[in-house]
Structure formats: C-alpha cells, structure tokens
Amino acid sequence: TTSYKLFGSDTPKYKRVYNVGNAYVKLDYLMNKYYLFSSKFSDEFYSLGNENFSENMFGINGFARFTLPNFNLGVDADFKRQTLTNDSLSISKSYTGFLALKPTIGLSINKLMKVSFGFNYANSVDQNFIAPYAAIALSLDRGISIYGDYSPHAEFYGGGDFLNQNPYFMAQHFSNLFMKKNSAFGTTVKFEYFTYFEIDGGFKYYSSENLPYFTDAKEKGKYDLVTTN
C-alpha cells in the first residue's frame, strides 16, 4: 500500500491510497532433449482506497517446443482475464479476456543459419489481430552471431499498468487497451569469447495505430489516457 497527496491538482491535500498485490507460480520442464515446456500463472491486484477503482488481472503465459536436430515446432501463449470495477462501467463489475498465440516452425538450414516462421494471433472480446512472424539467426565468425525478427502483435493493458507509470492517472475512468503493434521488428548482435563472457547489443522498433498517451483530465493536475486512433 502506498499513499501520496495529489500536489499540483485542484485538491492538493487529498491523499490517494494505492493498493498493489501480486503472486505467481512458474513451472518449467527443460530437461528433455526433444520437448521443452514452460508456464507461469500470475495474479495481480490494483485498487484506489477512496476512489472507485479495483482491478484483478489473472494471467497464464508460457511456451512449448518439440525439437528435432534440424526442425522444431513451437507455440507461445498468453492469456489474461481482467475483473474490473470503476466509474466508466454501466454495470457493477466487468470481465474481459485476452488471448494471444504464436505458433512457429523452425528450420536449421545449415550449421550457420536457422530460420523460423509462423504468425501472431490475438483476440479480446470483439477485437482481433493476426500478422505473420519470421526470424533468422546467423552465426558469423569467431563467436559473432546476429539475430533478427519481424513480429507484429497485440498486447493487453489494464488500468493498473498505467497507474504504475503515472500516479496522477485517473484509473477509475479507464477500462483496458487492446494495443496493436502493426509493425514490429528488431535485431541483436552477440559476441561470445569462448565461455568467459558475452556482449549483446541491438535495437527494437514498433509502430502502433492506437499508441496510448496521457492527456490532461477535466480536473487540473490529473490525467486521463487516450490513444492516437
């Protein structure tokens, strides 16, 4: 629990009480040569003590891989279920689900090159997103390798995510965001000196049709969230 005053607002003496809690359990099965599996069960809770905002975000995410010497099949999954109470709802409580899947096929072309391809799919209520996925890994010379991927995808955010970024955010006016990263790619270069050390460096880029940003609320010194679309 954190409490703070909203200095700079029309009510500078008002003390906001922000409650946060989280727990998770992670299960890994990484010992098999051909089959790998990992999953994480998480539960996050956010509320404002004297304001009408309470959010619970339950999540399951993980991956599974079936691997042969020159071929692999895999799937990454992310599931979230938001339980929300706030001022923007016409009912006392809402339930919103989110599901993202990335099935992939990987191939080893030779000792120096690996490629994988598939697609990203996401859904939340009446919103859908699907886009191709591709990645390549190249082993160059003397411990230098390069990795690149093209992976447009969608992400799901609740009020607690943005309240962590901005303590003056009016979370009671916000439900959730299905953010579409319509273009997303990145590259990484890695240098390994035997088994002594390694150095990684790279960049990531994405663009979104509904990029979120904070804007002034009706009450001075407080903020609402809007998107570029």
Side-chain angles (χ1 to χ4, degrees), residues 3-222:
S3 61
Y4 52 91
K5 293 184 178 180
L6 300 179
F7 298 110
S9 71
D10 289 333
T11 55
K13 294 183 179 181
Y14 176 77
K15 181 179 287 188
R16 169 173 274 187
V17 179
Y18 180 33
N19 302 303
V20 182
N22 63 78
Y24 72 90
V25 175
K26 189 173 183 181
L27 303 174
D28 291 329
Y29 181 69
L30 307 175
M31 302 297 292
N32 192 286
K33 182 179 180 180
Y34 301 105
Y35 181 72
L36 306 175
F37 171 83
S38 178
S39 64
K40 180 180 178 181
F41 299 80
S42 62
D43 194 63
E44 299 176 346
F45 173 78
Y46 307 92
S47 73
L48 295 174
N50 300 319
E51 300 164 67
N52 187 27
F53 171 73
S54 176
E55 179 184 70
N56 181 264
M57 191 75 76
F58 173 74
I60 305 173
N61 66 74
F63 70 87
R65 297 281 187 276
F66 175 68
T67 303
L68 294 174
N70 297 307
F71 173 81
N72 68 76
L73 292 173
V75 61
D76 293 59
D78 185 17
F79 169 79
K80 293 181 180 179
R81 181 172 173 83
Q82 179 198 47
T83 303
L84 178 69
T85 298
N86 70 7
D87 289 340
S88 67
L89 300 175
S90 58
I91 55 178
S92 61
K93 187 174 291 188
S94 76
Y95 303 91
T96 304
F98 170 81
L99 175 65
L101 297 171
K102 184 175 75 175
T104 59
I105 297 174
L107 300 171
S108 295
I109 306 301
N110 51 46
K111 292 183 179 181
L112 302 179
M113 179 186 297
K114 295 180 180 180
V115 297
S116 60
F117 54 91
F119 65 90
N120 281 303
Y121 170 78
N123 168 267
S124 180
V125 191
D126 59 348
Q127 301 184 87
N128 292 283
F129 182 90
I130 188 167
Y133 164 83
I136 185 170
L138 297 173
S139 179
L140 303 179
D141 189 27
R142 298 182 182 276
I144 300 175
S145 57
I146 184 169
Y147 172 83
D149 72 326
Y150 175 74
S151 185
H153 60 279
E155 298 175 352
F156 185 83
Y157 296 97
D161 296 310
F162 296 108
L163 197 54
N164 285 336
Q165 298 179 31
N166 185 345
Y168 286 66
F169 174 49
M170 301 294 285
Q172 60 270 40
H173 299 164
F174 176 80
S175 294
N176 51 62
L177 173 64
F178 183 84
M179 181 180 172
K180 300 177 181 180
K181 294 186 175 181
N182 303 86
S183 179
F185 59 86
T187 185
T188 301
V189 177
K190 180 169 69 173
F191 170 71
E192 296 177 285
Y193 185 72
F194 298 100
T195 59
Y196 298 109
F197 69 88
E198 67 176 54
I199 300 174
D200 296 23
F203 75 92
K204 289 185 177 182
Y205 167 86
Y206 73 86
S207 62
S208 172
E209 66 182 45
N210 60 337
L211 192 70
Y213 63 95
F214 296 106
T215 187
D216 292 332
K218 292 181 179 179
E219 300 178 56
K220 178 184 176 183
K222 300 178 182 179

